[in-house]
Every structure is written in C-alpha cells, then in structure tokens.
Amino acid sequence: MTIRRHVLAGLAAALAVPFAFSAPAVAADLPNLGGKTVVVVTENAYPPLQFVDPNSGQAVGWEYDAMNEIAKRLNFKVEYQNTSWDAMIQAVSDGQYQVGMTGITIKDDRKEKVDFSDPYMRSQQFMLVRGDESRFKDAKSFAAVEDALIGAQPGTSPFYTAVYEILDGNEQNPRIKLFETFGATVQALKAGDVDLVLTDSVAAKGYVDSSAGALKVVGEPLGTEDFGFIFPKGSDLVAPVNAAIKALKEDGTFDALNKKWFLDYKMGG
C-alpha cells in the first residue's frame, strides 16, 4: 500500500459530474463472469479509500464503491475479507484471496509476486503535520530538525520516501517510528508522539478537512504513485477488471466517486 500515498489531475472536473450510475447491471461490451464469487481482501485502514465509518460501523470508501461497480458490470459477487497490510501482498500471491485493494502502489518489485490491474488512481505523497507546526516547512527543513520524528508503516511507499528522500537512506534510522496501521500513525501525530506522516492527497485531504485545524499539509509533493488492484500471478480476473476500469474512467463513474469521497464526504460525520 501506499499511503501509501497531487490532488488527482481530473478532480476539478469531477465537480460537474453527478454521482449516478446509469450503466446496466452487466455491460454488453464487458466480459460476463457468470455470477461467480470473488474474494477481495482489504485493510479498512486508509480513508477515504476504505475504512470503517465511525457513525455507521460499516466498511465504506472509494475502493468499495469502485469494486462493487466493477462487480456489477462484470457480473460477479464480492466476498470482502480483511487482513493487515504486512500480510496482504504475500497472502494474495499465495492465492488466499483473489483480489487485494488498499491503495497499493504499482511497483516493479511487487510485480514479482502479484499481478496488478491497470492504474485506477494516481497520487503524490504530501507531508501531514500538526496545525501548529512551525519548526519546518518542507522535507529539507524537516531533516534539519534532528529531534523531529516520522511515523510510518514498514514496507510502504511513505516509509521508503522517508528513508531515501527525506532522511539519510538508513532504513534503521531511529527518527522513523513504525506503526501497524496508517490510522495509528495519524493518531501518534495528533498526540505529539511523531511530527510528520507522509501520505497521498487522498488521505491527507480527508484528515485535514476533519481535523478542525489540528492538522495541515506542508511542502511540495514528494513523488507520484499509481494505485492498482492486485491478483495472484496469472489470474484470469486481470483482463476483465482492466476492461471495467477503462469503462468506469470513460463514462465518468470514477470522476463521480472522486467527488463523492474527496469533496463531499466529511470524515467522522
């Protein structure tokens, strides 16, 4: 994942797109998977892509809406399961799950274990800090504050960006504090236990908008990432899902989801 991290290039255009799906249950020009069940695994820890809504207790998010629409277009049933980020790629590689989704950055080393769909979203990483932070304003000045700490999940794009683009290239650098979930890194930031969390604009916007000034973004974006769904190597689901992704981009469905989850939705109610 990447928190596993530019506001989306087409986000402004999404303002003009109503959130409505008019496609038939099974699109005539897309593969029909015959109603079979597909097990999709996620972490439920990366808002607004996928998370447990604190008001309803239901698992919701951009990726859930997208996957449900893909399932409708391709005529398959989704069975959702959950696992930790640390276990996800290997579990999908081993065939425990048929699809994985949790803002997973498409990377060459990961392609050795799993197959990726075409990108469904592009993001860049930003520096999320407390609202009253004044010691640093970008990556260079953060590195110069020797007691400033970064919170990250091991093995994620933010972790490696912290190591190689902000700090000294030492993956054991004690200035990086490790956490099991992205949400835990943000809680540590709010509590003052760390001073910076790297995340893409998707999560950064959600947390800043819901923080009542407690959080802000500083500095320039630190890298571009494409997100994709993952599959066991050789999966026959890749081509149909790619066809559905292409259709959802072309008919405005993804733009509508961008508006719903990045602009309209207020995290926490």
Side-chain angles (χ1 to χ4, degrees):
M1 150 179 153
T2 291
I3 317 187
R4 334 180 233 296
R5 4 220 183 196
H6 178 84
V7 175
L8 296 178
L11 193 54
L15 290 168
V17 181
F19 184 63
F21 298 142
S22 59
V26 181
D29 56 347
L30 290 175
N32 187 328
L33 301 188
K36 72 177 184 178
T37 297
V38 174
V39 180
V40 177
V41 66
T42 188
E43 189 186 19
N44 281 345
Y46 186 23
L49 292 189
Q50 24 71 24
F51 62 104
V52 177
D53 189 303
N55 295 320
S56 67
Q58 299 297 308
V60 296
W62 193 104
E63 287 182 331
Y64 277 107
D65 283 357
M67 184 58 65
N68 289 339
E69 186 65 17
I70 288 170
K72 184 173 74 173
R73 302 285 184 97
L74 297 178
N75 188 25
F76 66 83
K77 298 175 182 177
V78 185
E79 177 186 328
Y80 290 109
Q81 296 190 19
N82 299 109
T83 193
S84 68
W85 162 246
D86 287 347
M88 184 174 297
I89 293 178
Q90 188 62 52
V92 172
S93 177
D94 291 342
Q96 296 180 40
Y97 311 103
Q98 293 166 280
V99 184
M101 65 175 200
T102 185
I104 304 171
T105 302
I106 300 172
K107 299 178 69 173
D108 287 342
D109 60 335
R110 291 173 179 167
K111 290 179 180 179
E112 296 176 2
K113 288 190 171 183
V114 293
D115 286 340
F116 277 91
S117 70
D118 292 337
Y120 59 83
M121 184 178 295
R122 172 164 288 183
S123 185
Q124 291 178 311
Q125 293 178 57
F126 286 80
M127 299 172 64
L128 184 67
V129 303
R130 287 183 294 278
D132 59 357
E133 182 58 71
S134 60
R135 295 171 296 167
F136 56 87
K137 60 182 181 180
D138 54 22
K140 183 177 180 179
S141 56
F142 174 88
V145 180
E146 295 183 357
D147 61 347
L149 304 177
I150 303 176
Q153 292 174 276
T156 63
S157 293
F159 171 82
Y160 293 115
T161 298
V163 170
Y164 295 103
E165 295 190 32
I166 297 179
L167 299 177
D168 58 2
N170 176 13
E171 294 185 13
Q172 307 303 318
N173 192 309
R175 292 182 61 182
I176 302 177
K177 301 300 181 183
L178 301 179
F179 298 85
E180 291 187 0
T181 69
F182 177 63
T185 68
V186 177
Q187 290 304 314
L189 175 64
K190 291 179 178 178
D193 297 327
V194 300
D195 305 290
L196 166 66
V197 170
L198 289 172
T199 182
D200 64 274
S201 60
V202 176
K205 176 177 174 55
Y207 278 106
V208 170
D209 287 354
S210 66
S211 73
L215 298 174
K216 66 182 180 181
V217 169
V218 299
E220 297 297 321
L222 294 173
T224 300
E225 300 175 328
D226 288 326
F227 296 164
F229 303 118
I230 61 172
F231 309 80
K233 297 290 288 184
S235 172
D236 59 4
L237 290 172
V238 176
V241 169
N242 282 344
I245 287 173
K246 183 175 185 291
L248 295 177
K249 288 179 178 179
E250 291 176 347
D251 69 13
T253 299
F254 279 2
D255 285 337
L257 290 180
N258 293 342
K259 181 177 186 298
K260 175 184 177 181
W261 289 107
F262 302 161
L263 302 181
D264 292 347
Y265 185 79
K266 299 302 181 181
M267 291 169 51

